[in-house]
Amino acid sequence: MERWRGQSEITIVTPVKPEAMSALGELLGAMARDVLGNDVLPFGRLTNTHFARFFLLDSAQAHDGIQLPAYLISMSDIDGRPEEGLAELVDVGGNGIDHLYSHCIGYPTALPASRQARLEYLRAHIVRADVNYVNTIGRTVQQIRGEAEVREAIEDFLDRGGPELVGGNPSAVRAAIREFVTSDGRLNWALTPAPAPPLAYRVRELVHFVVPVILGLLLLPVLVPVLLVWLVVLRLHEIRDPSPLVKPDRAHLDQLRALEDYTVQNQFIAAGFLKSGWFRRVTAVVILWLVGFGARHLFNNGNLAGVKTIHFARWILLDGAVRSVFVSNYDGSTESYMDDFIDKVAWALNAVFSNGAGYPATRWLLFGGARDEQAFKGFLRTHQLPTQVWYAAYDQLSALNIVDNAKIRAGLNGDMTELETQKWLRLL
Amino acid sequence: MAAVAVTPAQDLADLQGLLVRGYGNLTSACFLLLEIDEPDAARAWLALTADLATAADSRPTASSLNVAFTSSGLRALGLDSTVIEMFSNEFVEGIATPFRQRLLGDTGESAPASWAWGGPNGAPIHVAVMLYAVDEGALATLRDAETRRAAAHGLRTVSILDTVDLGGSEHFGFSDGVSQPAMAGLGRPDRSANTVAAGEFVLGYPNQYGLLGERPVLPRSADPMEILSLDVAGSGGADLGRNGSYLVFRQLSQDVRGFWRTVDHATRRPDGTSDPVRRTMLASKMVGRWPSGASLVVTPENDDPSYAKFNDFLYQDVDRDGLRCPVGSHIRRANPRDSLDPSPGSSRSLEVTNHHRILRRGREYGHRVDVKTLFDEVGEDEERGLHFVCLNANIARQFEFLQKTWINSPKFDGLHEGDDPVVGPRQALGDTFTVPASPVRTRVRGMPRFVAVRGGAYFFLPGRRALRYLASLGD
Ligand code: HEM
């Protein structure tokens, strides 16, 4: 029986022992060779995880000379609450968790660590994402896989049906499909509609949405002058900030490209420093909050302002808002992804990324920036990091496929007009 | 220093002719692929070739010669590697890398390792000399003269690629060369939906983003004789890219009998006999145009040659679901016009699509298939196909994007499976073709690959000043 579980993001950031960096790199390499079945963390046994990854963020020197540590970063997108995700990670990983995390500072030295000790260590290193984008909130891994199977079965049924079936009128075809699904014990679960978000969840989301909006409106008289001053200061920064045109190094590109384009989906990580100074840091924090707010309440249904190819994405600030990391799981090639950024959502990327050092020059936060194609692509590729270990639970489905499959399943139920029936059949 | 042209139309004598015309009147053509053995001699050859190269300023009536270089060719001519690195990555690295193999679908029998030319196991390709003439006799004379002249200058002929004139159609039997983008201010004007900035094809001019894009700009000191034009961006450098273009060359072998047998089997009547009408219909659904060239959007039920050259159509309003021209068809993938995100049917969507256009300049090769044996179970299996040639200013955003994101993708425009039914590589999920219909679609499954890759390279087609500059390198 399906139930509403909601989704959670988990980000675990653990500092790596400097002397263990290369061994850890090798271990991640070994895991990547058999993502589903490796003996550190056999991802194939995770049941509630949509996407997961492990990668290394190198140590680096901040603007003020402070040395920032190297991190092992684990990110996953799961069904249910973060606690459930952590528990599954620890249970599936078992001793593998020790193996992996003993490369990191502060991990228990008495091995094997207890389940409790493992959980505590991971929990202590969770970092909340500043922005978390979910293509469609609430759709579980089970549902996505199940609905894909239902569609496949219906398609096969139509292929077998031949001209008699295909020659019928729309309602007759739909009736035949429903009869087929009803009669198949492995498919008829799909006749029950997918669980809707419960009232408590909807109320919570509504409150989360309305309160800041009301507060914002009340504070408008204060916010407007602040905003105007901020805009002027921002513009001055924009004029001064350097934005060198960089061409990514070929060895770096090769390392990235070796990990790309094996299935219909790809992974992406971009990491870098924020521009120095408190102004950019504060701006970044505020903008990220706004973007996160928009992602949660406005762009939570398969469409990120015209981009429909992103499954999950997140932004996190690290080291006290000195470094930032952007991560996503998307459909298609890196080139098409970057083109989508430029052509469809340049303003949104500008708003966030322009606080990052080296970003192509923006005007008034939203303009310019990503529209400088060559500079933008050079910037992204130079700041991109290899995803050492990447797991995707349904790597042959595009985000659009998943949306369509849900509509196909939903259409198995209820009354439809002739026109609605025709439209529904076009999904097949 | 000459005034800097703001549109290529002001500098036509510097553009090689292939950029503005496909030489349709010169029906005979062949391509010489050369390797540079002796750089000094090759530069002497190039000095003369720069003068011989047909410019864009007038339409040749007897013959034409254009010349292009791979990045290893530029290196062999003696161009400094720091300058070569200023060209785009795609060009510098070449077409046959493991990454591009995945991107372009060059796997299995199409892998570069088994290519007839341009692959890692063959001789390096440095130069392509593209020859065009009014008839076979004139071409033979030109070809002999040019192979001799090349040989005399230490340029080894790796391969001569011949072509065939099929009277305007390609081997599967469909009219080819109907739809091309128009360049703003250059050549034949067209409605705005099909017009893109000249900088999408000619380096050194603003592209669709209003930017000059990536191109090799040298310090003035590297051009002491001031052969090159100045960088229009005002950097003070000399623009080696100006009036040039990137030329993608792929030898695409077509399994014509495989294509028609598959289509024939998929449309047989219940009693097992062939159904020629439905057969042509399915093949046309795969292409997106009828054999005459008429668009399925315009004339969905049957071929109408009066629309053979008609190209003024969009998809979203008339045919959103692909009931006329399937979403997965070749031409809808190769140029989706207004049908994709961010808002299908809008000028914004058209604008996005127009970032991914190419100028096609291909020619067919191999004998025309004998239609009498087309459907026989066994029959001749001669090598024939298309020498696919296209021009663009940004290989990654134009040709490679087109091939990867639209042609090869089983997820194109919301599809669940199936790559380009005509030219797709049949990677994972690739071998299904969906024909949208009322009340419900039909599908052809298990489609074999009809088009295989036999060779390929990325070339730079320089402007004529750039040719003279390259010829002067040793001086
Ligand atoms: C042997 C291989 C191929 C064959 C037989 C073939 C055939 C055709 C035909 C019959 C047309 C319609 C007529 C026309 O508009 O010219 C067409 C259009 C087109 N093809 Fe191909 N093609 C092949 C390979 C390719 C490849 C590899 C690409 C690009 C990577 C490509 C890109 C295009 C484009 C851009 C159009 C015009 C679409 C439009 O603007 O409506 N073709 N092709």
Side-chain angles (χ1 to χ4, degrees), chain B residues 112-135:
Chain B
S114 48
W115 284 357
W117 59 273
N121 300 327
I125 307 293
H126 290 152
V127 190
V129 178
M130 314 178 76
L131 303 173
Y132 303 83
V134 274
D135 56 40

Side-chain angles (χ1 to χ4, degrees), chain B residues 170-172 174-180 194 250 252-254 287 289 293 311 313 315 330-332 334-335 337 357-358 360 385-386 388 399 402-403 407 422-423 451:
Chain B
E170 49 71 46
H171 281 291
F172 293 138
F174 289 80
S175 177
D176 200 0
V178 182
S179 176
Q180 297 275 17
N194 192 40
R250 282 161 74 75
L252 302 179
S253 167
Q254 292 174 253
V287 173
R289 289 185 185 267
N311 196 34
F313 61 89
Y315 292 111
H330 176 58
I331 72 155
R332 198 156 169 162
N335 179 11
R337 303 180 187 221
R357 306 294 301 276
I358 54 173
R360 288 175 298 141
L386 173 67
F388 174 87
F399 166 70
L402 188 61
Q403 183 82 51
I407 287 186
V422 183
V423 310
V451 169

